[in-house]
Amino acid sequence: RLYAGQEPPASLAGRPVLVGTTAIVHWLEKQSPRPVLDLVVIDEQQKLGVEQKESLLSPSTNLLEATATAVPRSQALVQFGITAISRITEMPVEKHIRTEFCDPDDRGRVMKTICQMMEEGQQIALLYPKREAGEDEARVRSVEEAARDWERRFPGKVGWIHGALKPAEKTALLAR
């Protein structure tokens, strides 16, 4: 496994699966000899330029692209029969996601729902716009302040993450 900020391996020897972001494109450019990839899977294909994509392919490379938002070029390739597609029309994993917008008057109902979900062993993600506590005109709670409050309510069951944590810390937290 390779995470952001880590040095990539010197070669792909013994690594049959390579997973990453567009950084892979730049890393592969520096490899000598250039490795031949048997299969390239690109998720969110609209975020990868045509030249970037082509730089990953050799004549023997199989390409699988996935996206929920195809770019016009990709749609044209499919429409004119240049590219074959498979459509997934059902969710491969059943999800029960519910989104609600609440105002401050709904706080009691929200807390009751969160407590019920925690009792059922479900996971909850709460997003806060600030990382650290500080002075603000419109007193907005930081993720650090909120995490302390949630930990008091649900001891040992709360983790918090923000962009300043090291990759290993984020990975450990998410695994926990």
Side-chain angles (χ1 to χ4, degrees), residues 45-127:
Q45 60 93 224
Q46 76 275 10
K47 294 181 181 179
L48 200 64
V50 173
E51 290 172 1
Q52 288 178 309
K53 184 185 343 174
E54 288 175 354
S55 74
L56 296 170
L57 308 177
S58 73
S60 63
T61 303
N62 294 288
L63 173 65
L64 175 63
E65 295 180 281
T67 188
T69 317
V71 293
R73 178 184 184 277
S74 298
Q75 290 174 326
L77 291 171
V78 169
Q79 182 178 353
F80 293 109
I82 298 167
T83 299
I85 66 165
S86 296
R87 293 187 67 197
I88 299 173
T89 58
E90 296 178 8
M91 293 293 292
V93 175
E94 187 174 338
K95 296 180 183 181
H96 301 284
I97 298 173
R98 186 176 76 214
T99 303
E100 292 186 38
F101 293 93
C102 305
D103 60 40
D105 296 337
D106 295 323
R107 185 180 196 112
R109 181 176 60 85
V110 169
M111 288 305 298
K112 182 179 176 182
T113 301
I114 289 172
C115 289
Q116 180 181 350
M117 291 175 74
M118 291 293 289
E119 287 173 13
E120 294 171 0
Q122 296 184 45
Q123 294 178 330
I124 301 163
L126 303 167
L127 305 178

